[in-house]
């Protein structure tokens, strides 16, 4: 008699696992590469759950920085083509400066612009941050619908901005300073990862004061540990292989210093 519901035999592992996958930037629709990572992550998560692990499937959202500025400017450029009168002059100047060198294209940009026009009677410096969030949420709704279409469901969605709003980035910066792992050079703040096993030092805060994604990634993984996870599993695309050593170097020093037996 087949007992497929009992296969494989398992027992409670008493291990909390945070499985992060997809985490596509909220700058456009998902593509086939994201779909591959989605399937890999979801299947792995289901297997670990079947084996008795306490698994959380998580999507990390880079909702700040240069890419969000370019996205917003791309949408507002289209708004300007349709309803220039609702856009404040200072915002127009900001938009034109960005799209001179960078912009996102596609029908989805026009669709979001239409939603902006429907939702806002004016676009000013006072509400530009709100509009950025609005645009990100429209894209994330599209992404979630795509994932739901092939039954990939996440337990958590974590926003990069939250790391800054809660002061976690400042906490991790002080931590690295105390470990003598930061250096100011050419106006930028560098992580001295060559003292560990990375091939070169990495910029955490650029000379213009803008944090890099690497800095946010360090804070995000620190947050994972603070939430009590024992295993951290990341499924990344092939274009992120260069991140492995640098993130591993940062996580190793953090995990060992706070006395956490965490595996990445």
């Amino acid at each position: 008699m087949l007992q497929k519901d009992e296969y494989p035999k398992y027992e409670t592992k008493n291990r909390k696992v945070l499985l992060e996958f997809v985490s596509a930037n909220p700058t456009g629709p998902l593509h086939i590469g994201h779909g591959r990572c989605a399937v890999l992550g979801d299947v792995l998560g289901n297997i670990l759950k079947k084996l008795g692990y306490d698994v959380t499937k998580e999507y990390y959202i880079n909702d700040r920085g240069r890419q969000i500025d370019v996205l917003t400017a791309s949408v507002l450029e289209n708004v300007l083509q349709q309803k220039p009168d609702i856009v404040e002059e200072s915002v127009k100047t900001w938009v034109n400066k960005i799209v001179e060198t960078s912009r996102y294209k596609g029908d989805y940009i026009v669709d979001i612009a239409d939603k902006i026009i429907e939702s806002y009677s004016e676009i000013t410096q006072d509400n530009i941050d709100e509009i950025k969030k609005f645009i990100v949420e429209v894209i994330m709704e599209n992404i979630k619908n795509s994932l739901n279409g092939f039954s990939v469901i996440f337990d958590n969605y974590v926003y990069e901005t939250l790391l800054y709003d809660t002061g976690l980035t400042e906490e991790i910066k002080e931590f690295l300073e105390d470990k003598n792992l930061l250096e100011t050079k050419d106006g930028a703040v560098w992580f001295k990862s060559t003292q560990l096993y990375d091939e070169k030092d990495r910029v955490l805060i650029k000379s213009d004061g803008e944090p890099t994604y690497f800095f946010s990634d360090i804070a995000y993984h620190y947050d994972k540990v603070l939430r009590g996870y024992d295993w951290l599993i990341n499924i990344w695309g092939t274009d992120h292989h260069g991140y492995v050593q640098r993130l591993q170097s940062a996580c190793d020093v953090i995990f060992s210093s706070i006395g956490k037996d965490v595996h990445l």
Side-chain angles (χ1 to χ4, degrees):
M1 178 180 178
L2 293 177
Q3 294 182 335
K4 63 180 181 179
D5 291 339
E6 297 299 321
Y7 180 84
K9 296 291 185 181
Y10 62 90
E11 59 185 27
T12 301
K13 302 295 183 181
N14 197 29
R15 290 287 186 275
K16 290 186 65 178
V17 179
L18 184 59
L19 177 58
E20 182 213 336
F21 58 106
V22 184
S23 295
N25 292 333
T27 52
L30 296 181
H31 56 62
I32 191 66
H34 298 136
R36 175 181 178 274
C37 290
V39 171
L40 285 173
D42 198 56
V43 169
L44 177 58
N46 292 340
I47 291 171
L48 290 171
K49 286 182 178 180
K50 182 66 175 177
L51 292 173
Y53 292 93
D54 181 2
V55 179
T56 299
K57 300 174 184 178
E58 189 159 283
Y59 189 120
Y60 175 57
I61 304 168
N62 292 114
D63 63 327
R64 63 175 308 282
R66 171 71 178 173
Q67 66 177 4
I68 300 302
D69 286 347
V70 174
L71 172 66
T72 303
S74 302
V75 171
L76 294 185
E77 180 186 31
N78 193 273
V79 171
L80 283 169
Q81 294 169 4
Q82 300 184 59
K83 290 280 189 178
D85 293 343
I86 70 171
V87 183
E88 188 179 71
E89 285 300 322
S90 60
V91 176
K92 290 180 183 178
T93 302
W94 178 79
V95 168
N96 291 330
K97 183 177 180 180
I98 291 177
V99 297
E100 280 180 1
T101 57
S102 302
R103 62 161 59 85
Y104 289 99
K105 302 176 182 179
D107 292 341
Y108 75 97
I109 294 294
V110 178
D111 293 340
I112 298 173
D114 291 341
K115 287 182 171 63
I116 292 289
I117 292 170
E118 292 173 5
S119 303
Y120 292 90
S121 60
E122 60 178 1
I123 300 169
T124 69
Q125 290 290 345
D126 291 335
N127 66 0
I128 191 69
D129 288 340
E130 178 185 334
I131 287 171
K132 289 180 184 180
K133 292 178 181 177
F134 179 92
I135 292 170
V136 167
E137 287 308 315
V138 170
I139 290 179
M140 284 307 304
E141 182 179 359
N142 176 275
I143 287 174
K144 290 176 183 179
N145 287 338
S146 295
L147 293 168
N148 291 343
F150 56 106
S151 300
V152 176
I153 309 297
F154 284 88
D155 300 303
N156 284 340
Y157 288 86
V158 174
Y159 289 77
E160 182 185 359
T161 48
L162 184 65
L163 305 175
Y164 291 84
D165 293 343
T166 59
L168 195 63
T169 49
E170 283 302 311
E171 184 177 337
I172 200 65
K173 182 172 180 284
E174 292 175 5
F175 174 86
L176 294 174
E177 285 174 340
D178 290 342
K179 296 297 178 183
N180 195 31
L181 287 171
L182 297 186
E183 177 184 16
T184 301
K185 182 173 57 177
D186 301 325
V189 177
W190 296 70
F191 174 54
K192 295 190 286 187
S193 50
T194 50
Q195 290 190 4
L196 303 166
Y197 47 78
D198 196 5
E199 61 185 12
K200 63 181 180 180
D201 293 343
R202 308 289 180 174
V203 176
L204 291 190
I205 302 174
K206 294 182 285 188
S207 57
D208 62 0
E210 178 66 21
T212 62
Y213 292 117
F214 179 43
F215 183 38
S216 298
D217 286 341
I218 294 174
Y220 174 44
H221 283 75
Y222 179 51
D223 175 65
K224 292 179 181 182
V225 175
L226 294 181
R227 285 187 275 151
Y229 289 97
D230 304 297
W231 288 2
L232 310 180
I233 301 175
N234 300 339
I235 297 179
W236 289 343
T238 54
D239 58 336
H240 283 74
H241 284 175
Y243 259 72
V244 174
Q245 277 195 326
R246 72 186 75 171
L247 187 59
Q248 186 74 59
S249 63
C251 287
D252 280 358
V253 69
I254 292 170
F255 298 167
S256 61
S257 296
I258 61 179
K260 293 282 188 179
D261 183 23
V262 180
H263 301 279
L264 173 63

